[in-house]
Amino acid sequence: MSLYVPGSPSRKTCPTSDMSLSRKLSSVQQLHDRYREVRAWSETICAPLAPEDCVIQSMPDVSPTRWHLAHTTWFFETFVLSRATPDYQPCRAEFEYLFNSYYNSVGRQFPRPQRGLLSRPTVAEVWAYRRQVDQRIGELLEGVGADGERCEQLLLVIELGLQHEQQHQELMLTDIKHVLAQNPLYPVYRESELLQSSVAGARRGNGTAQISYGEGLVKIGHSGPGFVFDNETPRHREFVESFRLADRLVTAGQYVEFLKDDGYRRPELWLSAGWQTVLDAGWQVPLYWVQRGEDWWQFTLSGLRPLDPLEPVCHVSYYEADAFARWCGLRLATEAEWEVAAGELPIEGNFVESERFHPAPVTGASSSAAPDQLFGDVWEWTSSDYSAYPGFRPLDGALGEYNGKFMSGQYVLRGGSCVTPRSHIRATYRNFFPPDARWQFSGFRLAE
Ligand SMILES: [Fe+2]
């Protein structure tokens, strides 16, 4: 995921002259509070897990929880502590190789598919590593308060580290779901009462409605203050034809109709590469769906549950979303269309803070003015390939793990999911995955 730090990332001097000391101290204190809050949420996520859960890698795309915990900590050590401290002594020098997701200083990278083969460091050692780095970050931030020479740029990189940790918090939940799903006992990560009451509160009625948008020149992407990743910039103009967008996400019940109509056995509905994937991977249903007799069930972070036909379909790939849209005679939205619809809306929805860990049916009255579920529930596949905006300039330097190098062979997803932290998402946020990925909390809505 690429990153953009507001202001010049190559700025060498400290921009403290325009910042009063008291303002600076309060922003340092706020950042320290936020640091503690974000880091504590990682611990909350792990509370239901046993050490045995934390070391499994169920497929190459999945990382063990232990790896996420160490890698996010390595980020703070590498990009904050070692830069801010002369003659810095790393907590454990070998971690630079084990927990660096990119290439280390001598161009080596521990192979991603082998992250689950490590029995050492133990989970307990990784927790100790986190505490050590947290203490050093605390001392550093206290020093910033007393030292007028400390730089705002340092605080921005800490914010970057927190945003990075929030990305990995979503991945921790996504990955542990995949790990637990391999177990025929269908272990429960956490019971959720919300899951049991979802149908009762759902909006029933006439199904999906379309909302119309006129053609025109629109502005897409971020400008102005606030943290964003570099791939959201620069804000630029795009011409969008008139379009209509579904007022809600495609539901599991609608997707069952696609199954009943032999959707997975009709090559004419699929992109060529998608059909090949169906054949090669043996796809017949979305990931985590299980048929028992006539009934559909699905694995959730609260265990195996009957499929709720009113909730959004989840864990589908771009190929499946595209085939479903073709079956309907419709299509997926472009990311520009999605942003036109979402740009002015409040960021409200079913995020990780609901602790439901699962998409929810639409509730309440339908609005003809704006679509529901644009934020939260599931990441929405768009038909836009992940590429650079006109005038895009990736962040350079040692944060090179996070630049535009992933802009190849992936599609953009928008809006966040039920495992995304609320403070991590915005209308311009661009997530991206390859078209066959479906272990993410991904779904879609239709456009025409
Ligand atoms: Fe990372």
Side-chain angles (χ1 to χ4, degrees):
M1 182 64 72
S2 40
L3 302 171
Y4 171 71
V5 180
S8 167
S10 59
R11 184 164 49 201
K12 295 288 194 303
T13 54
C14 187
T16 49
S17 56
D18 60 349
M19 201 178 185
S20 74
L21 185 59
S22 63
R23 241 181 77 211
K24 188 153 76 82
L25 288 174
S26 93
S27 67
V28 169
Q29 187 56 50
Q30 282 171 4
L31 187 67
H32 198 181
D33 290 345
R34 184 167 142 69
Y35 179 90
R36 282 188 278 249
E37 191 182 318
V38 171
R39 298 279 283 175
W41 181 248
S42 296
E43 296 179 26
T44 302
I45 288 173
C46 294
L49 301 176
E52 290 85 348
D53 298 320
C54 297
V55 297
I56 291 181
Q57 181 173 31
S58 48
M59 66 171 178
D61 283 337
V62 163
S63 295
T65 308
R66 182 256 317 269
W67 191 89
H68 288 298
L69 291 171
H71 165 71
T72 48
T73 305
W74 162 86
F75 186 104
F76 285 109
E77 191 175 28
T78 302
F79 296 117
V80 179
L81 292 175
S82 71
R83 289 179 172 196
T85 316
D87 302 322
Y88 180 77
Q89 294 301 311
C91 298
R92 294 272 294 270
E94 65 272 27
F95 286 3
E96 195 222 353
Y97 177 54
L98 289 182
F99 300 125
N100 185 344
S101 60
Y102 191 44
Y103 299 99
N104 69 2
S105 54
V106 291
R108 294 172 68 221
Q109 179 188 38
F110 184 77
R112 180 182 181 124
Q114 296 178 21
R115 289 173 184 170
L117 299 181
L118 302 172
S119 62
R120 306 298 172 93
T122 64
V123 175
E125 285 176 292
V126 167
W127 282 118
Y129 174 47
R130 285 180 69 90
R131 283 193 295 276
Q132 204 174 354
V133 168
D134 287 347
Q135 185 176 343
R136 291 184 184 186
I137 290 280
E139 289 164 1
L140 180 70
L141 285 171
E142 281 164 23
V144 169
D147 181 355
E149 295 301 311
R150 295 291 189 189
C151 191
E152 190 182 356
Q153 188 69 21
L154 177 72
L155 305 187
L156 292 173
V157 178
I158 291 177
E159 176 59 33
L160 197 67
L162 295 175
Q163 297 279 341
H164 174 252
E165 180 134 355
Q166 287 184 306
Q167 289 181 325
H168 279 273
Q169 287 168 346
E170 171 155 2
L171 287 171
M172 279 189 231
L173 287 163
T174 306
D175 289 355
I176 200 65
K177 182 172 182 177
H178 194 267
V179 167
L180 296 176
Q182 310 311 309
N183 188 328
L185 302 177
Y186 294 120
V188 170
Y189 164 75
R190 239 181 67 183
E191 290 288 353
S192 171
E193 290 177 20
L194 288 168
L195 222 58
Q196 289 156 358
S197 60
S198 64
V199 174
R203 182 201 309 162
R204 296 177 182 276
N206 351 339
T208 309
Q210 300 279 343
I211 295 175
S212 297
Y213 297 85
E215 66 176 25
L217 203 56
V218 297
K219 287 205 166 178
I220 300 298
H222 176 87
S223 71
F227 178 92
V228 294
F229 295 110
D230 62 357
N231 63 1
E232 299 166 59
T233 65
R235 191 163 172 83
H236 62 282
R237 292 172 302 170
E238 284 194 25
F239 184 80
V240 176
E241 301 283 355
S242 60
F243 66 100
R244 290 196 289 177
L245 194 63
D247 71 343
R248 70 191 69 176
L249 295 162
V250 169
T251 65
Q254 290 170 322
Y255 204 84
V256 167
E257 297 305 311
F258 176 65
L259 293 185
K260 287 180 180 171
D261 200 31
D262 287 336
Y264 282 81
R265 289 191 281 271
R266 294 169 56 184
E268 73 272 17
L269 296 176
W270 295 75
L271 291 168
S272 175
W275 180 246
Q276 194 59 50
T277 307
V278 168
L279 296 178
D280 292 346
W283 286 353
Q284 297 182 17
V285 292
L287 186 61
Y288 303 132
W289 282 28
V290 177
Q291 191 165 26
R292 290 185 166 177
E294 292 296 299
D295 299 324
W296 287 102
W297 292 62
Q298 65 180 326
F299 181 69
T300 72
L301 282 167
S302 301
L304 195 66
R305 301 281 182 134
L307 190 72
D308 179 347
L310 297 176
E311 72 186 27
V313 65
C314 187
H315 297 295
V316 287
S317 64
Y318 176 85
Y319 291 140
E320 289 160 299
D322 177 80
F324 181 96
R326 190 166 296 110
W327 175 70
C328 295
L330 299 172
R331 62 174 175 82
L332 304 179
T334 66
E335 65 169 323
E337 290 170 340
W338 190 96
E339 196 168 318
V340 165
E344 302 301 321
L345 297 180
I347 299 175
E348 296 168 350
N350 171 25
F351 295 110
V352 74
E353 288 79 6
S354 75
E355 300 190 35
R356 176 188 175 89
F357 309 119
H358 196 72
V362 174
T363 55
S366 178
S367 158
S368 58
D372 282 311
Q373 301 172 304
L374 281 167
F375 294 107
D377 288 308
V378 294
W379 286 101
E380 299 184 29
W381 285 108
T382 72
S383 61
S384 301
D385 66 306
Y386 176 54
S387 58
Y389 284 163
F392 167 70
R393 289 182 59 198
L395 190 66
D396 56 12
L399 287 163
E401 177 189 15
Y402 300 97
N403 55 34
K405 71 184 166 94
F406 298 110
M407 290 175 171
S408 166
Q410 313 209 53
Y411 284 85
V412 173
L413 301 94
R414 293 298 197 112
S417 81
C418 55
V419 289
T420 304
R422 159 69 184 77
S423 64
H424 187 64
I425 197 70
R426 56 201 160 262
T428 58
Y429 196 111
R430 306 173 79 201
N431 200 355
F432 50 90
F433 281 98
D436 61 348
R438 57 184 203 162
W439 95 107
Q440 296 293 313
F441 287 78
S442 50
F444 59 103
R445 80 175 61 229
L446 297 170
E448 64 176 315

